[in-house]
Amino acid sequence: VPVFLFVAAPYIRRYVAGGRCKSTARLEGKVVIITGANTGIGKETARDLAQRGKVIIACRDTAKAEAAASEIRAETGNQQVIVKKLDLADTKSIREFAETFLAEEKELHILINNAGVMLCPYSKTADGFEMHLGVNHLGHFLLTFLLLERLKQSAPARIVNVSSLAHHGGRIRFHDLHGEKSYNRGLAYCHSKLANVLFTRELARRLQGKFQGRAGFTANALHPGSVSSELVRHSLVMSWLWKIFSFFLKTPSEGAQTSIYCAVAEELDSVTGQYFSDCQPAYVSPRGRDDETAKKLWSVSCELLGIQWD
């Protein structure tokens, strides 16, 4: 068995690594925002895109973000890697980030909603939303709403939502969105990732017809793969399992490939409302294709955030 594993190891690793983004598209003169890009796949996405154009790293922990940005600047030689504070668990912070960005930048071409929390013990955001739903869905929903006009003005532009295969285990529990009646942190994560898929689907539907092909912009979601990252830090069991089976997990660089692909691949210029994994279209759960639920989630999200988004 050890001999077999030794021989098979490179092939196993190649399979685990999955698809790679082969696009060499440049982003000169273009502006990219990546949320949660101080670590994991967000950082690796920023590292790649910084070799192509201007990247704004939007993070809660600005000290960690500055360290990541400094490393990326030194490696790529691109000084246009900028850190801005953004706490997705606080709508006040989201609005302040958007206000500052809109005052400083006249264009926005790519918005990558990457940040996320996973397996949190029960807690609420500053606005009283269950943490997974608040950060993973509602925070990015509001951010996208606030930046949408700038994206439209900069078209062609892209919105990339990092979801997960975990959306298959999710459902939108409108009767208990904030988990006050019953809460399971694993399922809460699944619910929020399903919300990402439904948000992407409904956003793309609303944008289609208004913008066509290269003249407009797209919204797509993705599963990055099972990645060795800090995302499981809230679970001791998952942290140990991640360490034990790290050989069978993607590295953050491998996990970033589909995010990069959705952001820059030329063949996706007019592809919208889709879900990708390993740089190719992937299967979406029946709940993730439910247009009625997508419309209702949109309406409820607007109510919770106190916004009108028609």
Side-chain angles (χ1 to χ4, degrees):
V1 173
V3 173
F4 167 76
L5 285 175
F6 180 77
V7 172
Y11 300 99
I12 295 170
R13 272 304 311 154
R14 203 170 304 149
Y15 174 78
V16 169
R20 290 199 74 79
C21 176
K22 293 175 181 152
S23 171
T24 56
R26 304 293 304 162
L27 299 174
E28 276 99 353
K30 298 198 172 182
V31 180
V32 181
I33 291 176
I34 310 172
T35 66
N38 61 332
T39 186
I41 65 171
K43 181 180 174 184
E44 295 307 320
T45 304
R47 193 192 305 276
D48 180 284
L49 298 185
Q51 296 173 48
R52 306 170 191 254
K54 181 173 183 173
V55 174
I56 293 171
I57 292 176
C59 293
R60 180 173 53 86
D61 189 331
T62 52
K64 272 189 179 178
E66 278 296 352
S70 179
E71 180 189 315
I72 292 168
R73 284 186 215 114
E75 189 179 308
T76 62
N78 180 6
Q79 296 310 302
Q80 293 289 286
V81 180
I82 298 159
V83 171
K84 295 290 178 188
K85 184 171 179 60
L86 170 66
D87 184 354
L88 288 159
D90 185 348
T91 58
K92 185 167 176 272
S93 172
I94 298 168
R95 290 181 179 279
E96 284 171 357
F97 168 85
E99 195 178 316
T100 303
F101 173 83
L102 294 172
E104 294 175 354
E105 299 287 344
K106 298 306 166 210
E107 293 189 303
L108 174 60
H109 303 89
I110 301 169
L111 171 62
I112 303 180
N113 291 319
N114 164 83
V117 293
M118 180 180 181
L119 303 175
C120 298
Y122 189 76
S123 57
K124 288 187 173 180
T125 68
D127 302 272
F129 309 139
E130 186 277 315
M131 190 62 70
H132 292 90
L133 184 80
V135 171
N136 298 353
H137 169 60
L138 291 170
H140 283 128
F141 188 95
L142 178 60
L143 180 66
T144 306
F145 167 75
L146 295 170
L147 299 176
L148 195 71
E149 284 306 312
R150 190 55 43 92
L151 282 157
K152 284 182 182 178
Q153 293 160 9
S154 310
R158 300 186 186 191
I159 297 165
V160 178
N161 293 325
V162 179
S163 179
S164 168
L165 184 70
H167 85 270
H168 285 270
R171 55 190 307 178
I172 307 301
R173 302 165 70 247
F174 290 109
H175 67 287
D176 189 24
L177 270 181
H178 303 295
E180 290 163 330
K181 295 175 185 171
S182 68
Y183 180 75
N184 175 292
R185 55 188 182 171
L187 288 175
Y189 176 72
C190 295
H191 302 333
S192 71
K193 293 289 108 178
L194 174 60
N196 293 154
V197 172
L198 291 168
F199 168 44
T200 306
R201 188 176 181 87
E202 180 62 8
L203 177 60
R205 187 189 70 78
R206 286 165 176 259
L207 295 175
Q208 263 183 328
K210 296 179 185 176
F211 297 90
Q212 293 294 335
R214 291 195 64 86
F217 66 95
T218 60
N220 290 301
L222 67 101
H223 167 56
S226 297
V227 181
S228 180
S229 73
E230 292 178 18
L231 202 55
V232 294
R233 63 186 174 275
H234 292 294
S235 168
L236 191 60
V237 173
M238 288 293 284
S239 296
W240 272 105
L241 287 172
W242 248 229
K243 281 194 177 86
I244 293 165
F245 294 105
S246 60
F247 182 79
F248 299 99
L249 297 172
K250 290 186 178 187
T251 64
S253 175
E254 290 162 354
Q257 293 305 307
T258 308
S259 295
I260 298 162
Y261 175 74
C262 288
V264 302
E266 296 88 344
E267 62 267 33
L268 300 187
D269 275 345
S270 56
V271 174
T272 192
Q274 300 302 306
Y275 172 75
F276 294 86
S277 178
D278 281 327
C279 301
Q280 59 188 11
Y283 179 74
V284 178
S285 75
R287 286 196 184 109
R289 287 179 268 126
D290 187 330
D291 289 330
E292 289 312 306
T293 302
K295 286 172 190 167
K296 186 174 178 183
L297 178 63
W298 185 284
S299 172
V300 170
S301 299
C302 287
E303 275 177 47
L304 289 169
L305 293 163
I307 60 175
Q308 280 191 303
W309 190 354
D310 300 319

